[in-house]
Amino acid sequence: MRGLERPPPSADHSRMNDSASGNAALAARDLQHVWHPCTQMHDHETIPMLPIVRGEGAWLLDADGNRYLDGISSWWTNLFGHANPRLAAALADQAQRLEHVIFAGFTHTPAIELAEELVRITPPALDKVFFADNGSAAIEVALKMSFHYWLNQGHGEKTRFIALTGSYHGETLGALSVSDVALYRKTYAPLLLTPFLAPSPDAYEGEPGESAEQTAERRLGELRTLLERHAHETCAVIVEPLVQCAGGMRMYHPSYLTGLRALCDEFAVHFIADEIAVGFGRTGTLFACEQAPVSPDFMCLSKGLTGGTLPLSAVLTTQRVYDAFYAEYNAGKAFLHSHSYTGNPLACRVALETLAIFRDEPVLERNRALAAHLARRLAPLRDHPHVGDVRQTGMIAAVELVAQKAGRRPYPAAERRGLRAYLHGLRHGALLRPLGNVVYFMPPYVVSTTEIDLLVDTAIAGIEHAIAD
Ligand SMILES: *Cc1c(COP(=O)(O)O)cnc(C)c1O
């Protein structure tokens, strides 16, 4: 296990396993051939690669038997716990009936029922469902569909998109094009489309003394100016409703969405709601758009759609958009986008079972109590000399670390303060994975209040560790 640093033995993490199936052996084999996402692989000379062998509820178990509380729902996908028995049973049953079938010219009950159910639970007027197999692919579909809608309507001059500063919509070239997180975008910028950027309504960036609602109002004014200049060449405005997640869990007032809907109508551009991270109960309502409330022209869903079990995404849109493509074959208006695994029956079936859990259990109600508990536990951090902000929207909470509280001067990114909190968390049984200087909590909905306590206590100790010089 050359060059790998294990979490130092502690009261919590004393178990070691030098066998061929232990952490060390698996990590060494992994690093021989596997290239991991969002990772400078060189980091693994000092940071442990953790082989996970089991999941149970909110917990992950590594090959040495250590347990980690999954405070970030494994990249925001997991809703009802790892190896959830209901989802596993649905998957096993479907696997014995039909694992996959071409989705052009053929269909199947899981996809039909999932489309019916998604139309039923999403905001009004989203009546058509196009499937893809991950979040970025859903964004590609929405961007292409919006452009193609306008083209079919005789407006081929509409080729641009408006995105918010600090936005993240995925990392394939189209999705990355409408993203504004420098870490992911900068290197590939020469390959990308250039969107118009509208200033984010992010409340953290508000003027001193300004309420979140006032910030949203002011930012809508700036968006209006942009639309006045560019609406004629713009297909759509794309936003992450309420929380810009990968951009640092930046949050904004729902009135921005209401205003955005009105502006999109006024200027004849589409409204694309990327609910890939915030959908399925994360923000306190089933979908974040409900808090405005608004119906977008396109809604992108993924991550929690299968409860964190399988990759699947869906783009919902309106009858009106659908009709612009509906014509005799030789009119050449059909939408052109296909993935081999479109509408995969296994994924659709697990998604249906995920939605059944929402019907059978008081998920949102339970989440409200959990979110309130999390808020109470985080409140004292507001007074911490190196905390610039504690913010929360439903089951997403974030603590912004700052070098200096006055003026909220950020720590230089190169200091990797968040990484220290991450490593501290792992040593104490919690998976926290800060985004730069933002320590956040996005646990599965099956987390208990005691487990939230463990996450918060570990995070607080981790923060102390991170700010120590
Ligand atoms: C994660 C995410 C995506 C991309 O989804 P992938 O499945 O990772 O490609 C898009 N938009 C938002 C808001 C996300 O959080």
Side-chain angles (χ1 to χ4, degrees), residues 10 72 89 119 133 139 147 182 202 241 245 274 296 306 311 359 369 371 384 405:
S10 71
I72 60 160
V119 166
D133 42 29
I139 298 297
F147 162 78
D202 171 12
C245 293
D274 175 357
T306 61
R359 283 198 308 275
H384 192 286
K405 204 174 180 82

Side-chain angles (χ1 to χ4, degrees), residues 76 134-137 139 168-171 240 245-246 274-277 302-303:
W76 325 340
N134 62 70
S136 300
I139 298 297
Y168 178 93
H169 298 289
E171 293 175 54
E240 295 159 88
C245 293
D274 175 357
E275 293 230 12
I276 289 165
S302 187
K303 291 199 168 112

Side-chain angles (χ1 to χ4, degrees), residues 114-138:
L114 180 57
E116 287 170 349
E117 188 62 9
L118 287 174
V119 166
R120 192 180 73 75
I121 63 176
T122 48
L126 296 169
D127 291 335
K128 296 289 175 184
V129 183
F130 192 96
F131 290 111
D133 42 29
N134 62 70
S136 300

